[in-house]
Amino acid sequence: MSNVWMYVLTIVLLIISAVKDKKKTKQALMKAWKTFENILPELLGIIMLVGLMLAIVNPEVVSKIIGSESGWLGVILSAVIGAITLIPGFVAFPTAALLLQNGAGYMQIAAFVSTLMMVGVITAPVEMKYFGKKLTILRNTTAFIFSFIVAYIIGRVVG
Amino acid sequence: MKIIKKYRFFMFTILVLAAVILLNRQLGMKALDIVGFSFKEMMMVIPPIFILLGLLDIWVPKETMVRYMGESSGWLGVVLAILLGSAAAGPLYGAFPIAAVFMKKGVRFTNVLIFIGAWSTTKIPMFLFEMASLGTSFALTRLAIDIPGIILIAHILNFFASKEELDEIYKKAESL
């Protein structure tokens, strides 16, 4: 698991913090909880939406849409699917590899992977809470457009 | 009442899921399965992120953050933003609260955005995984485009944000 080292680091720092100053450590933990509680409602909603969406949009559906002959239309569709879904990387990459084996194109897969990671339509409510509406929309739009550049270059280099 | 208002979106999605289960049991149960899986993932990944955020907020003085990542930190700030974002584990929604603490500590806005960009797409654990699944040339090419890409995007966003908007965002970060 990639997050083991985060746990190790957190625990070590917590111990150092507690040895140095108990009161400050307590404050830090309170702050952690308050921040978490602040975005918890959105997170729970996001998780439910993701569950519903992934039940409908499964690998079979996706591989039909983004075959290597699907061209730019396929690239656009893959980018849209990547933008609106939220799949953890350790599920997304093997799925992407499977799609490639089943005839999806490199350009389409690159667009999908790129928007999947950089664009978050579902997480936009959380982002807006911190960055406001305008910047959230702007960031996601720019990242969406950027993903086409990524797709084009990867299509040229790898495909 | 306040709690109901806060959680109304979540309650709405529960109703939707219940309706889907009633209408199409197979699809609904599959969705429920994925919800359970994502929930477990959240519980696994989130505690260290938020505790680190708390420790950062309490222990690291503003002056330190300003020196290394503030207005006049130059390339050092950019490199640190990329490294910190890339070293993280966890979904993008974990990056926003940390970005808020960065802003509270006086980190330059473009560096905050670069941090978000790096977190979203150049995470080291994910990179290794990408290399194994999609091949070295795919992963390396993407990384090579993404690093200048996230710096460019950060500057584009910074260019379009007005002074008032930035003040507002930084003020909000202070209170979160």
Side-chain angles (χ1 to χ4, degrees):
Chain A
M1 281 303 283
S2 62
N3 56 352
V4 167
W5 80 263
M6 291 267 282
Y7 271 89
V8 175
L9 178 73
T10 308
I11 291 166
V12 170
L13 289 177
L14 256 185
I15 292 171
I16 296 173
S17 169
V19 169
K20 276 185 123 175
D21 192 330
K22 274 220 175 71
K23 209 175 131 220
K24 272 190 159 181
T25 309
K26 222 170 154 185
Q27 275 180 336
L29 288 173
M30 287 294 286
K31 167 84 190 174
W33 172 250
K34 238 185 70 197
T35 315
F36 174 64
E37 212 226 339
N38 189 25
I39 65 167
L40 186 62
E42 279 87 358
L43 289 191
L44 290 173
I46 288 169
I47 285 174
M48 296 290 285
L49 271 188
V50 169
L52 283 164
M53 207 172 252
L54 288 189
I56 300 164
V57 186
N58 52 45
E60 295 87 67
V61 175
V62 179
S63 62
K64 263 186 213 140
I65 302 174
I66 60 174
S68 51
E69 282 86 57
S70 58
W72 281 102
L73 184 68
V75 174
I76 294 170
L77 283 170
S78 348
V80 171
I81 296 171
I84 57 180
T85 47
L86 186 101
I87 311 171
F90 55 88
V91 178
F93 287 128
T95 309
L98 202 72
L99 294 176
L100 271 177
Q101 281 161 22
N102 288 326
Y106 271 103
M107 225 163 66
Q108 290 79 3
I109 290 293
F112 170 71
V113 168
S114 187
T115 56
L116 180 67
M117 300 181 96
M118 297 183 84
V119 183
V121 172
I122 299 184
T123 49
V126 180
E127 193 171 347
M128 280 179 199
K129 229 174 167 165
Y130 292 95
F131 287 96
K133 212 177 193 166
K134 182 186 146 188
L135 272 170
T136 300
I137 293 172
L138 202 60
R139 189 193 73 78
N140 283 285
T141 315
T142 322
F144 188 79
I145 296 167
F146 175 69
S147 298
F148 285 89
I149 302 172
V150 175
Y152 176 75
I153 297 176
I154 286 188
R156 272 331 235 336
V157 175
V158 186
Chain B
M1 255 338 267
K2 219 176 132 198
I3 288 192
I4 294 179
K5 207 179 155 212
K6 255 182 99 176
Y7 285 90
R8 68 185 163 189
F9 175 59
F10 178 49
M11 288 186 286
F12 169 72
T13 57
I14 291 178
L15 289 179
V16 173
L17 182 61
V20 172
I21 291 175
L22 284 177
L23 291 171
N24 183 340
R25 213 185 130 76
Q26 209 199 349
L27 188 73
M29 291 317 274
K30 200 176 151 204
L32 194 64
D33 250 16
I34 300 169
V35 168
F37 176 82
S38 309
F39 188 74
K40 255 197 343 232
E41 197 217 3
M42 181 180 99
M43 286 337 243
M44 289 287 293
V45 169
I46 264 193
I49 296 178
F50 283 83
I51 292 173
L52 286 176
L53 171 158
L55 291 171
L56 171 73
D57 193 32
I58 300 293
W59 281 106
V60 181
K62 189 170 176 170
E63 297 73 47
T64 313
M65 292 295 280
V66 169
R67 177 144 39 98
Y68 290 112
M69 295 174 79
E71 280 311 323
S72 50
S73 60
W75 280 102
L76 177 68
V78 174
V79 172
L80 278 175
I82 291 176
L83 287 180
L84 286 172
S86 302
L92 186 58
Y93 54 68
F96 300 125
I98 297 189
V101 176
F102 277 6
M103 288 191 271
K104 197 174 152 187
K105 299 277 182 190
V107 170
R108 190 179 169 184
F109 193 57
T110 48
N111 289 344
V112 172
L113 292 170
I114 290 170
F115 168 77
I116 299 258
W119 184 305
S120 76
T121 199
T122 60
K123 283 205 294 279
I124 294 159
M126 282 298 123
F127 176 74
L128 298 175
F129 208 60
E130 181 177 353
M131 224 155 62
S133 311
L134 297 173
T136 312
S137 62
F138 186 98
L140 277 179
T141 309
R142 217 172 64 81
L143 183 70
I145 313 163
D146 275 343
I147 289 177
I150 57 182
I151 297 174
L152 182 72
I153 290 175
H155 282 276
I156 292 174
L157 295 184
N158 188 51
F159 176 79
F160 281 109
S162 69
K163 177 94 182 47
E164 294 78 48
E165 273 167 328
L166 288 187
D167 285 346
E168 178 109 357
I169 291 169
Y170 271 74
K171 222 171 78 199
K172 210 157 69 183
E174 201 79 46
S175 65
L176 281 164

